[in-house]
Amino acid sequence: MKSTEIDNTRHNGVEFCTLGMFILDDIDFGGSKPGVKNVLGGAASFAVVGARLVAGSAHGRAVSWIVDVGSDFPPDTLAAIQSWGTDCVIREDHSRLTTRAWNGYHPNEKRDFKYLTPKLRLEPEMLSEAQVWSRTFHMVCSASRCISIVRHIMNRRDELLKAGRAPSTGGITTRPIFVWEPVPDLCTPQEQEKFFAANRVVDVVSPNHLELGMMFDQPSWSEEADEGQHLVRRIIESGIGPNGDGSLVIRAGKEGSYAFSRAQKLWLPAYHQPGDSGATAVVDPTGAGNSFLGALAQGMVSAGRESFNVIESTMSHSDTWRKALSSWGPRKDLPMALICATVAAGFVVEQIGVPDISAGVNGKELWNQDEFTERVRLYTQRLFKTVEESPQRHLLIN
């Protein structure tokens, strides 16, 4: 197997690394519109797009990942990946096909998924030393594998530290942030105890509302239902993170997202809301959840940068928001990161596949012809208004 980096420009350290797979997708919309084939996708691609949107061009190479290329890998897909300016390791193996999968959608947002070619799973021992020292990790896997990945990465960091092979960028003794996305087909009642065990080794656990419902033998999860509120309390009380200060983030599709910690709650509406005519900019939800979590992970290490400054310039005028933010304690960057994640997911649903990147006339980076930070500004302005009008809807108000 041949491994190459598509850009040798180095950076000051990896901030985001995903253990998701690169996949070429076939998408079936259930007859509502024509299906498509050969779409750049997979959890890795979408998570990287989310992280890259938040990182911006200035920190693009702090976003690191691995792409496994088979004999059928399309040249235009490689060109798209190169355009993102990330730290990408291409592993070529012409004796096999690129991992391909089928995605089928139903009207109720339920998704079916199956592999069309043998998958090549990304194992933690495949990560480079630079990737092992990433400040954040994104995982899409079973609970058992989640625990194994975290243990492997932490043990390898300890070994490198003892061997004097730690990077000189600082922060090497700080525990990285682990964001876990439970794999959908193992969100079953039989996996509950493993789910609780995995929660205790990660910092953020994020099923979507349907997956969370399935795991606890319910049709779906709803924040308004007594059963939904009881389930959240049960998960939080069982512990998330080594110190119990982690967060449950429930992705709820068009309803947005809900984040819960020990004594905090935050609801954020989706970026795209139906207009007066009921029309929406949402074309395809494939990958939106992955991008949301990639952006969330990158956002949790992006304090002080442009996107955070844009959020603070608006939300700092809300006493309610400021008080709520302080209540998150050591996780006070999470609400800001969630805003970035919401905006990032909004780009991903606007087309089939990944959003288009280009340069504007002023040299600014554009995604789907818009600046990421400008959309953060617009979203934050809307959020400020609704938080002021209905704080109890968004926040846990004691």
Side-chain angles (χ1 to χ4, degrees), residues 17 43 54 63 106 171 190 201 207 230 247 267 299 361 372:
C17 182
V54 178
V63 175
H106 303 276
Q190 293 74 27
V201 304
H230 172 74
S247 302
W267 169 67
V361 292
F372 175 74

Side-chain angles (χ1 to χ4, degrees), residues 254-273:
K254 61 186 179 182
E255 301 300 323
S257 67
Y258 295 84
F260 301 92
S261 209
R262 279 175 175 164
Q264 297 84 25
K265 166 200 160 185
L266 173 62
W267 169 67
L268 293 177
Y271 181 84
H272 290 296
Q273 297 295 312

Side-chain angles (χ1 to χ4, degrees), residues 21-319:
M21 288 191 301
F22 174 89
I23 299 175
L24 293 174
D25 281 328
D26 290 354
I27 304 175
D28 181 349
F29 295 102
S32 61
K33 53 188 169 183
V36 291
K37 296 181 180 294
N38 221 37
V39 178
L40 192 168
S45 303
F46 286 111
V48 162
V49 165
R52 177 60 178 78
L53 279 160
V54 178
S57 58
H59 302 280
R61 285 176 176 71
V63 175
S64 190
W65 58 314
I66 295 173
V67 173
D68 284 304
V69 170
S71 59
D72 57 342
F73 195 75
D76 57 341
T77 299
L78 179 60
I81 291 172
Q82 288 175 321
S83 72
W84 301 345
T86 60
D87 183 40
C88 180
V89 177
I90 298 287
R91 302 196 308 174
E92 298 178 74
D93 184 351
H94 293 285
S95 69
R96 67 181 298 273
L97 296 175
T98 306
T99 303
R100 293 176 178 270
W102 174 88
N103 295 265
Y105 281 93
H106 303 276
N108 63 353
E109 298 185 19
K110 183 179 183 296
R111 182 180 74 143
D112 290 327
F113 176 89
K114 65 180 178 181
Y115 289 102
L116 300 176
T117 61
K119 66 179 180 180
L120 181 56
R121 194 165 72 176
L122 184 60
E123 302 294 350
E125 56 265 24
M126 298 173 182
L127 300 179
S128 68
E129 288 190 10
Q131 289 171 328
V132 168
W133 289 107
S134 177
R135 296 178 66 189
T136 68
F137 291 92
H138 164 255
M139 304 169 289
V140 187
C141 56
S142 68
S144 299
R145 188 161 182 260
C146 170
I147 294 171
S148 176
I149 289 172
V150 172
R151 183 180 297 127
H152 180 98
I153 289 173
M154 296 307 296
N155 287 343
R156 194 166 162 202
R157 287 166 73 112
D158 287 342
E159 291 168 0
L160 290 171
L161 186 59
K162 291 174 183 176
R165 290 160 63 183
S168 58
T169 51
I172 58 175
T173 58
T174 302
R175 185 181 186 273
I177 294 169
F178 291 97
V179 176
W180 175 43
E181 186 177 348
V183 67
D185 59 0
L186 287 177
C187 289
T188 64
Q190 293 74 27
E191 286 282 307
Q192 284 182 24
E193 291 309 311
K194 293 179 182 178
F195 171 75
F196 287 126
N199 288 349
R200 298 181 190 109
V201 304
V202 300
D203 302 275
V204 176
V205 55
S206 181
N208 69 29
H209 61 304
L210 295 173
E211 295 158 358
L212 187 59
M214 289 188 302
M215 184 172 292
F216 291 90
D217 209 18
Q218 300 173 12
S220 182
W221 175 88
S222 171
E223 196 267 341
E224 296 177 354
D226 290 340
E227 295 89 344
Q229 295 176 23
H230 172 74
L231 180 54
V232 167
R233 288 194 298 271
R234 181 180 170 190
I235 293 171
I236 294 298
E237 289 170 3
S238 72
I240 300 175
N243 300 318
D245 60 352
S247 302
L248 169 67
V249 176
I250 303 170
R251 293 167 285 119
K254 61 186 179 182
E255 301 300 323
S257 67
Y258 295 84
F260 301 92
S261 209
R262 279 175 175 164
Q264 297 84 25
K265 166 200 160 185
L266 173 62
W267 169 67
L268 293 177
Y271 181 84
H272 290 296
Q273 297 295 312
D276 294 337
S277 64
T280 175
V282 176
V283 172
D284 177 19
T286 305
N290 306 131
S291 291
F292 180 96
L293 294 176
L296 175 61
Q298 178 65 39
M300 292 178 74
V301 293
S302 296
R305 296 179 185 171
E306 187 176 7
S307 296
F308 269 47
N309 293 339
V310 166
I311 297 169
E312 289 173 343
S313 68
T314 297
M315 299 306 293
S316 63
H317 298 290
S318 169
D319 290 338

